[in-house]
Amino acid sequence: MSRRRHRDHLPTRPTWRCAACGIAWPCSAAKLRLLGEYRHDRLALTVYLATLQAEAGEQLTEVDPARLTERFLSWARARG
């Protein structure tokens, strides 16, 4: 039986790039996965992402904090 190699779309530290596709995390695949996992608790998703944003802010000191907020949180807000 052949074994498929699968890499999750998770952040690598301290670069905060996706382990699977190499782009800035959270990538599109990670966003879709997180929205699915937290579909019934958007507040918990926001808290989780804010925690990761704070960690990323400590490691990505050259990135404007406003850009990190956009990157980590703005897409996860509930649509009204």
Side-chain angles (χ1 to χ4, degrees):
M1 177 182 265
S2 73
R3 212 172 181 192
R4 279 194 320 174
R5 189 162 182 212
H6 173 73
R7 292 189 71 171
D8 290 328
H9 291 268
L10 299 172
T12 58
R13 292 161 174 91
T15 64
W16 289 89
R17 296 217 165 265
C18 177
C21 61
I23 65 172
W25 193 91
C27 62
S28 295
K31 290 175 183 178
L32 286 173
R33 181 183 55 80
L34 289 166
L35 286 171
E37 286 179 19
Y38 288 90
R39 68 183 162 275
H40 299 298
D41 195 350
R42 192 62 69 96
L43 179 59
L45 173 59
T46 304
V47 170
Y48 173 66
L49 291 170
T51 302
L52 292 179
Q53 178 192 348
E55 183 182 346
E58 292 173 1
Q59 296 172 350
L60 301 174
T61 56
E62 72 285 354
V63 179
D64 179 11
R67 290 185 53 93
L68 287 177
T69 299
E70 179 71 24
R71 177 174 159 180
F72 279 82
L73 292 171
S74 67
W75 63 270
R77 292 187 184 127
R79 304 286 186 235

